[in-house]
Amino acid sequence: MTGTLATTATAGLSAARAAARAPRSWTDRLVGLLHLLTTLALSVVYLAPVGLLVFVMPWVSVWLVGGASGVFLPQDRGDPWLLAAGLVLLPAAATLLARLSCRIQRSRLESVFGIVETRAPDPAEPESAPVRVLNLLYGRDAWAAVLYSTVAGVQGVLAGAVTVVLVVYGAAAAIGSVLGVAYALAAGAPGDLSDPMVLAPFVLILVGPLGVVAGVRLEPVFVRLEVEVSRRMLLDAPEQRIRRRLAQVQDSRLRMVDAAEEERRRIERDLHDGAQQRLLAVTMTLTRARARFDRDPEQARDLLDQARAEAKEVMAELRDVSRGLHPRVLTDHGLEAALPVAAGRCPVPVRVDVDLDGRPSARAEGVAYYVACEALTNVAKHAAAGSVTVRAERVARRRGDLLRLTVRDDGAGGADPDAGTGLYGLWDRVNAVDGTLDVHSPADEGTLLTADIPWRA
């Protein structure tokens, strides 16, 4: 089982691009070719909206210009219901078909590449039914859908046509030519090779396989192009990014409020049940010692030793209560000194590897330390692991360096965010600083948690 906690559309598209660049088996190439052929077949649907608009707009323009210039009288301008159909019904049909095309493409992206788009939140003020209908048929999103369906249709026709010509026609021509040449040889009449009609099958036998190879080689390029167009126009348009961000902020805000309240209750409970009771015991012991100083100094000294031991236990309990909070060693010495401290509290053997040429921002260090502590807690509670490796490194990137924290264990795997493992809390912390959290946890193969945090968060 694999769980991925990241911005879903962006993560899925990154995975799709990485998969397209990776070495591909013949099965993957066959799936890609079938995908392009399916896109070619669906291009008829994708181009239908712009076809309706192309059909209706010249007619409406002629009707309007002709009426305005007096070329024909108003009573000769035809049935007004036809005008209504041209101005209202056909554009509405075009936008609805475009929305259907976008839905089909989203479904295909999800089934083929695993790209799932976060649902946009409902507006804060519900719109009336007529306004919703008008936005559905003639709003900005409707015309954006028409634009995308047109681009996707043109792209599908070009990519599918090239694929069909190179692969399908090349293979069919080569096979047909081989059969034709075999039949001619069997009949004993190969003909004059100087004749172009006789030479053509031999040329096709050589050129056909080259076309197949070229089509197969071009398939990943066409797939990446389709994914990139979908990312920029369908999934990652500015409005879609804002809506996804709002949905994520809304969800993470509620979870962070719940997590903060749960943490407050934990600290209150631990202080009341542990440290507070021990401090009361220390106070009572000191009171007894003071009362015995004059009458029994030896027993008073024993009571003072007892109070000192209880005070040490109180200090240890307070350290346990503050576990996971921002420690002093992190502020003073950074992750290189703080991560071994966190690892020392884990009952599972932990190897710590820190490779940082400098210190990131205090916020980035705090988030990384929190993720490491929670990940080690999850390993101790759920993983049944024999060893853990924690690594922190700086990753250079053109758009800003990253602090990458990885926690790998050899435990049971199968980490499920919905099973109370605290993964959503980790995701909220990382996402709050525009980072990403990825959890790869196949069953019986351990868990790899990777947090990429902006270096200057």
Side-chain angles (χ1 to χ4, degrees), residues 1-90:
M1 173 183 177
T2 302
T4 300
L5 294 170
T7 305
T8 53
T10 303
L13 288 161
S14 299
R17 291 197 294 267
R21 295 188 181 97
R24 296 162 59 87
S25 64
W26 283 104
T27 302
D28 295 334
R29 293 186 182 276
L30 179 60
V31 171
L33 291 173
L34 293 177
H35 176 77
L36 293 177
L37 294 178
T38 305
T39 302
L40 175 62
L42 289 173
S43 297
V44 177
V45 179
Y46 294 169
L47 292 175
V50 71
L52 287 175
L53 295 177
V54 169
F55 169 77
V56 70
M57 293 311 296
W59 177 75
V60 173
S61 299
V62 170
W63 192 92
L64 293 175
V65 172
S69 60
V71 175
F72 46 80
L73 297 176
Q75 60 268 23
D76 299 326
R77 295 167 71 180
D79 192 343
W81 290 106
L82 294 178
L83 176 63
L87 291 177
V88 179
L89 298 182
L90 288 180

Side-chain angles (χ1 to χ4, degrees), residues 169-447:
Y169 180 76
I175 294 173
S177 298
V178 168
L179 294 178
V181 170
Y183 176 79
L185 292 175
D192 186 5
L193 294 179
S194 62
D195 186 354
M197 296 299 295
V198 176
L199 185 60
F202 294 95
V203 175
L204 290 176
I205 292 175
L206 296 176
V207 175
L210 296 178
V212 173
V213 172
V216 172
R217 292 290 184 182
L218 288 174
E219 172 264 327
V221 178
F222 291 143
V223 170
R224 286 201 298 270
L225 180 61
E226 181 179 350
V227 169
E228 191 66 22
V229 170
S230 299
R231 183 184 72 82
R232 295 191 178 276
M233 297 190 65
L234 182 62
L235 299 178
D236 223 15
E239 296 84 359
Q240 299 294 342
R241 285 200 302 269
I242 292 173
R243 291 177 180 179
R244 282 199 303 273
R245 187 66 174 171
L246 288 175
Q248 294 164 1
V249 169
Q250 186 179 40
D251 293 340
S252 63
R253 181 182 62 182
L254 296 176
R255 289 196 297 266
M256 292 186 74
V257 169
D258 294 340
E261 180 64 19
E262 181 63 25
E263 185 70 8
R264 184 192 66 79
R265 291 176 180 175
R266 180 188 71 83
I267 295 174
E268 181 182 6
R269 182 176 60 252
D270 291 345
L271 289 175
H272 180 271
D273 297 341
Q276 183 177 343
Q277 300 300 321
R278 288 189 176 275
L279 286 174
L280 179 61
V282 170
T283 302
M284 295 177 63
T285 302
L286 291 174
T287 302
R288 291 168 57 197
R290 180 180 181 180
R292 284 174 171 77
F293 260 118
D294 296 333
R295 293 177 299 172
D296 193 350
E298 189 67 26
Q299 187 178 7
R301 281 193 293 270
D302 293 340
L303 290 173
L304 287 176
D305 292 338
Q306 182 181 346
R308 183 176 61 180
E310 290 177 349
K312 290 182 178 180
E313 293 180 359
V314 171
M315 293 175 62
E317 285 198 8
L318 289 176
R319 283 195 296 268
D320 292 337
V321 170
S322 62
R323 178 178 297 177
L325 302 179
H326 201 91
R328 185 71 180 179
V329 65
L330 179 63
T331 303
D332 294 341
H333 304 289
L335 284 173
E336 189 170 2
L339 287 180
V341 175
R345 296 196 298 259
C346 183
V348 181
V350 180
R351 175 188 172 186
V352 179
D353 184 10
V354 179
D355 182 16
L356 301 176
D357 55 347
R359 292 187 61 176
S361 66
R363 185 179 292 111
E365 284 186 334
V367 172
Y369 180 79
Y370 175 84
V371 171
C373 291
E374 289 299 314
L376 291 175
T377 301
N378 285 339
V379 171
K381 289 183 177 179
H382 309 291
S387 63
V388 188
T389 300
V390 178
R391 177 173 175 79
E393 59 184 327
R394 183 173 186 172
V395 178
R397 201 178 60 162
R398 286 184 301 175
R399 292 177 294 175
D401 292 354
L402 295 175
L403 170 59
R404 175 166 295 171
L405 178 78
T406 57
V407 181
R408 183 191 298 270
D409 67 72
D410 58 357
D416 184 2
D418 297 321
T421 55
L423 292 178
Y424 281 125
L426 294 180
W427 184 88
D428 290 335
R429 286 290 186 101
V430 175
N431 187 62
V433 294
D434 292 328
T436 59
L437 180 72
D438 181 81
V439 180
H440 181 69
S441 185
D444 301 324
E445 296 183 20
T447 299

